[in-house]
């Protein structure tokens, strides 16, 4: 049997791209996958700069060009799409095309603290406001609804008595940087199983 070619991953990011950076670093030494494209909806997203520094192709796609996304992904022969801080809803046609092959990372323990308007510090402020004793990060498969779809993996973070949204965000981000590469590597190695609305990672 020959060696399988590396799975080609596109990362969608609207912001700073620290999760993208963690993925780029993790995949550098991993043969199963490579980041082949970074897509943003904003030309000022620092994620684009991170991609360019590493010689990764970039594209800016605004809602006016939604129709172009599938063609773009096909041109770059993308196998998996990873949403890492992407602040737009993915058009249903793209969700359909990449069903079971599109992941999103969210900075809370879904299904709590997700949905429209739940992004950035608002998530962590809501967690503190609700008096939760723990929060964390979730990676899930993407479906047509925002922050919805089978959860693949979660990692917990304890809420501290003196937490502010900023402090909690920083600790959750640290675990995101471990969790996302682990899940993307498992995904591209074909180790994600999906049954109905459940998903999990196998060791095989
Ligand atoms: C992360 O907290 C991620 O969970 C959320 O958006 C944030 C992106 O952060 N979806 P970064 O741009 O990767 O630093």
């Amino acid at each position: 049997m020959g060696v399988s070619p590396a799975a080609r991953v596109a990362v969608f990011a609207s912001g700073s791209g620290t999760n993208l950076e963690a993925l780029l670093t993790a995949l550098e030494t991993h043969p199963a996958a490579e980041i082949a494209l970074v897509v943003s909806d904003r030309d000022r997203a620092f994620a684009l700069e991170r991609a360019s520094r590493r010689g990764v192709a970039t594209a800016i796609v605004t809602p006016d060009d939604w129709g172009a996304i599938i063609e773009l992904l096909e041109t770059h022969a993308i196998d998996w799409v990873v949403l890492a801080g992407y602040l737009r809803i993915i058009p249903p046609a793209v969700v359909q095309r990449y069903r079971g092959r599109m992941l999103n990372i969210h900075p809370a323990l879904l299904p709590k603290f997700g949905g429209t308007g739940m992004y950035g510090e608002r998530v962590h402020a809501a967690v503190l406001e609700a008096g939760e004793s723990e929060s964390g990060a979730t990676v899930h498969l993407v479906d047509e609804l925002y922050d919805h779809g089978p959860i693949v993996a979660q990692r917990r973070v304890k809420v501290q008595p003196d937490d502010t949204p900023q402090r909690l965000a920083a600790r959750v981000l640290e675990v995101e940087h471990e969790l996302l590469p682990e899940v993307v590597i498992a995904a591209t190695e074909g180790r994600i199983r999906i049954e109905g609305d459940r998903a999990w990672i196998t060791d095989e």
Side-chain angles (χ1 to χ4, degrees), residues 13 15-20 83-86 104-107 124 173 176-177:
S16 132
T18 63
N19 276 289
L20 166 68
L83 310 181
Y86 189 63
N104 178 46
I105 183 152
H106 184 76
H124 307 289
L173 199 55
E176 290 183 47
H177 295 164

Side-chain angles (χ1 to χ4, degrees), residues 11-22 46-47 50 83-87 104-108 118-121 123-124 136-138 146-147 169 172-173 176-177 180:
V11 177
F12 283 43
S14 303
S16 132
T18 63
N19 276 289
L20 166 68
E21 190 80 43
F46 192 63
R50 293 184 196 268
L83 310 181
Y86 189 63
L87 294 178
N104 178 46
I105 183 152
H106 184 76
M118 275 293 170
Y119 61 87
E121 275 180 15
V123 178
H124 307 289
T138 300
Y146 204 72
D147 292 335
V172 170
L173 199 55
E176 290 183 47
H177 295 164
L180 187 61

Side-chain angles (χ1 to χ4, degrees), residues 36 40 50 74 86 141 152-153:
S40 188
R50 293 184 196 268
E74 284 180 352
Y86 189 63
L141 288 153
V152 179

